[in-house]
Amino acid sequence: MVRKLASIATLLAVLTGPGAAAQDDGAQEAVTAFTLDNGMQVVVVEDHRAPVLQHMVWYRAGSADEPVGSSGVAHFLEHLLFKGTDTMEPGELSATVAANGGRDNAFTSYDYTAYFQRVAADRLGLMMKMEADRMVNLRLSESDIETERNVILEERNMRTENNPAALFSEQMNAAQYLNHRYGVPVIGWKHEMETLDLEDALTFYRRYYAPNDAILVVSGDVDPDEVRQLAETYYAAIPANPDLPERLRSQEPPQTAARRLVFSDPRVAQPYVSRSYLAPERDPGDQESAAALYLLSELLGGGQTSFLAERLQFDTQTAVYSGAFYNGMALDNTTFDLVVVPAEDVTLEQAEAELDATLSAFLEKGVDPDQLERIKLQLRAAQIYERDDVAGIANRYGQALATGLTVADVQAWPDLLQAVTGEDILASAKAVLRPETSVTGWLMRDGEADQ
C-alpha cells in the first residue's frame, strides 16, 4: 500500500508540476458538445494518442421506461436491432465492423440503451451510416421475434435462474422499490418475457428510437468539425419524433418500514448478508450529496483498509469479505448497498449484528481525515489513468447525459469529490443509513433458516 501511494503521488507530481501545465489542463478532457436541428445531442471527446475511436448512440429509454406488463422489452429490442434493416441483412452491421478490424456490442440498463462500435479512426463515417440506418429502418419478421425471444429467455436462464445470487438480488430490488420500475429486473420477469411479441418491440422502437431521444458520443482520435459534418450527413437527415413522450416515471412514496427477506437455495455456495438503503442520485447542478455518498462507500467498504474491513475482517474476524457500494448515475433514487460474507462458523444473524454495530461505531466516531485524504489521492490518480480508455470516456459521458446530467456536471464531478469534507460524509451517512428505507436480506442454503 505504501509503494502504491508513493507511485500515485509521483504520478500526480509529474502531471501537475511546473512545466506540465498543458498536461494538467488536459486532465479535463477536450470536449465539444452541440445539438443537431432534429434534437440529437452530440458529444465529442478528443484523444489523439492512438488512431482509434469509440462511436456510441445512447437512447434515453431503458427498462424503467417500459409499459407495465411488458418487462424486458427494452433489452429484447436491443437484441432485435442486430437483425436486418431495409438496406442491411441480419448480422451485416456486426460483420462489417469485424471486417474493418473493430468490435461492436450493445447494453441495456434501467435508464438507457446504448450501441457502440470501436474501430479505426478513419471508419467513423461508415459507423454513422449503419447506426443511423437502424435508427429508422429496422426490419423484423415473426421468425426474428420467436428466435430472439428464445435467446433472451435462455440468457435469463443462464444468468439469473441458474444463479441464486442473481435471484436473490432481484428479490432485494423488488422489495426496495415499492412503486418505481427500478424494482423490475432489466432483463424482465420470465412470465412477461414469454409473451413479448412483434407489436411490443415495434411500439417501443417507434416511440423511443428517434434522434430527439438519442445522444451521440464519439471519443478518441477525432476532429470535432469532422464529427459535426458526418453527423449532419447521417443523423440530421432523420426527422425528430414529434410524439416523443415526456419522461415520467411512477415515484416512490415515503418509505416508513424496514423490510427483510430470506432467500434459500441448495445451490448457494457462500451465504451472505446484503443490505440496501434508498439513496439520492446525482442531479444536474446538484451533485454534492452524491459525491459525499460515493466517498462514504469508499470509506466504509472500498477495500482492505476500509472501516468495515478493519472491524469485521480483522478485528472481530466475523467476515471474510465486506463491501459498500454506491452508483449515483441514475435518473431517479438509487441505492446505497452493503454486503457481509461471514467467516466459517459465524451465523448470518451474528454477521448482521456486527454490521449494525460497525455502522453505529462509524456514525459515532466520524471520518478519519487521513483515510479520507488517501482516498482522494487515489481518486485523482484513477481519473488520470481513465483518460487512457476511450471506451470508458464515452461511457462516462453517455451514461451521464442519458440520466439527465450535463457535460458540465461530468466535468465538475472530480472537483466535487475533492471538496467533500468529513462533516459532509457524516451528514449524508446519517441521512441515508436509516432503517425505515432499508431492505436486509439473507442468502442461505436450504436448511439453514434457523441460523
Side-chain angles (χ1 to χ4, degrees):
M1 175 58 72
V2 172
R3 286 195 299 272
K4 179 180 179 183
L5 290 174
S7 64
I8 292 171
T10 300
L11 171 66
L12 289 170
V14 169
L15 292 178
T16 61
Q23 288 177 299
D24 187 30
D25 291 342
Q28 194 73 277
E29 293 102 354
V31 179
T32 302
F34 54 91
T35 302
L36 303 179
D37 289 343
N38 58 11
M40 188 175 192
Q41 284 186 271
V42 184
V43 175
V44 183
V45 189
E46 296 178 69
D47 181 352
H48 300 288
R49 290 176 292 175
V52 297
L53 63 82
Q54 178 114 336
H55 170 265
M56 303 191 77
V57 171
W58 298 69
Y59 293 96
R60 297 181 186 87
S63 65
D65 301 293
E66 297 165 341
V68 174
S70 298
S71 66
V73 70
H75 174 250
F76 186 37
L77 181 59
E78 175 215 310
H79 278 243
L80 292 169
L81 245 72
F82 289 87
K83 299 297 183 181
T85 70
D86 293 340
T87 60
M88 289 190 294
E89 293 299 315
E92 183 179 340
L93 187 150
S94 293
T96 302
V97 173
N100 281 272
R103 67 182 188 90
D104 73 314
N105 213 325
F107 50 87
T108 304
S109 188
Y110 292 108
D111 297 311
Y112 48 78
T113 308
Y115 301 82
F116 70 87
Q117 301 87 36
R118 186 169 187 180
V119 292
D122 61 354
R123 303 296 194 272
L124 179 58
L126 178 60
M127 298 305 108
M128 285 197 188
K129 179 182 179 181
M130 294 190 296
E131 196 65 77
D133 179 47
R134 65 175 172 180
M135 182 183 286
V136 288
N137 295 320
L138 183 63
R139 185 180 67 218
L140 298 175
S141 67
E142 289 292 350
S143 176
D144 293 330
I145 295 297
E146 182 177 356
T147 299
E148 216 58 37
R149 186 171 54 221
N150 289 334
V151 169
I152 63 171
L153 284 167
E154 181 55 28
E155 183 178 339
R156 181 179 169 90
N157 284 335
M158 292 176 58
R159 296 185 178 182
T160 306
E161 303 294 343
N162 291 328
N163 184 346
L167 291 169
F168 174 58
S169 178
E170 274 191 349
Q171 295 298 310
M172 289 285 294
N173 282 339
Q176 179 69 79
Y177 290 98
L178 305 175
N179 195 47
H180 197 282
R181 295 286 290 179
Y182 286 168
V184 177
V186 172
I187 198 169
W189 297 118
K190 185 175 182 179
H191 68 284
E192 293 184 348
M193 295 168 65
E194 291 170 338
T195 68
L196 294 174
D197 59 21
L198 179 61
E199 187 58 32
D200 291 325
L202 289 179
T203 297
F204 199 83
Y205 176 70
R206 291 165 182 158
R207 178 176 296 154
Y208 294 114
Y209 278 51
N212 51 324
D213 201 35
I215 304 151
L216 169 64
V217 182
V218 182
S219 63
D221 188 18
V222 292
D223 175 75
D225 291 336
E226 181 186 3
V227 174
R228 184 189 289 268
Q229 180 182 2
L230 290 170
E232 292 283 355
T233 299
Y234 294 109
Y235 289 114
I238 302 172
N241 177 9
D243 300 318
L244 183 69
E246 188 176 353
R247 203 171 193 191
L248 298 175
R249 275 97 169 267
S250 55
Q251 296 298 300
E252 282 297 293
Q255 295 197 359
T256 58
R259 281 135 285 159
R260 301 186 59 83
L261 63 90
V262 174
F263 189 94
S264 299
D265 192 299
R267 299 170 296 176
V268 172
Q270 177 62 69
Y272 61 84
V273 177
S274 180
R275 164 111 28 98
S276 63
Y277 298 87
L278 200 66
E281 74 283 3
R282 289 170 61 178
D283 288 323
D286 183 15
Q287 302 183 93
E288 287 79 6
S289 294
L293 287 171
Y294 180 80
L295 286 169
L296 173 64
S297 70
E298 291 294 311
L299 285 164
L300 274 179
Q304 295 298 300
T305 61
S306 67
F307 199 86
L308 286 174
E310 288 283 356
R311 175 157 178 152
L312 299 179
Q313 296 171 229
F314 301 113
D315 293 348
T316 66
Q317 298 186 0
T318 305
V320 294
Y321 173 80
S322 59
F325 311 94
Y326 171 77
N327 180 3
M329 207 84 86
L331 190 64
D332 298 309
N333 279 346
T334 183
T335 58
F336 188 97
D337 301 282
L338 302 161
V339 64
V340 176
V341 179
E344 190 176 358
D345 298 327
V346 175
T347 68
L348 294 175
E349 183 178 11
Q350 291 169 333
E352 182 185 342
E354 284 296 334
L355 171 62
D356 288 333
T358 303
L359 293 177
S360 296
F362 177 84
L363 293 175
E364 181 179 346
K365 184 177 180 181
V367 174
D368 180 343
D370 292 335
Q371 179 73 345
L372 178 57
E373 285 308 308
R374 284 195 293 270
I375 290 172
K376 288 182 177 181
L377 178 65
Q378 291 167 345
L379 287 175
R380 286 197 295 270
Q383 287 152 7
I384 293 169
Y385 287 123
E386 284 173 0
R387 296 181 58 234
D388 293 330
D389 181 5
V390 295
I393 290 171
N395 274 292
R396 180 153 40 89
Y397 281 91
Q399 188 181 18
L401 270 66
T403 54
L405 299 175
T406 66
V407 169
D409 292 319
V410 177
Q411 295 186 329
W413 181 249
D415 289 340
L416 287 175
L417 290 173
Q418 296 300 321
V420 171
T421 66
E423 291 75 16
D424 296 331
I425 294 169
L426 199 58
S428 290
K430 291 176 179 177
V432 169
L433 304 181
R434 297 182 296 123
E436 59 268 29
T437 68
S438 73
V439 179
T440 302
W442 290 3
L443 176 66
M444 60 174 58
R445 303 182 191 92
D446 280 348
E448 293 183 333
D450 294 333
Q451 283 198 1

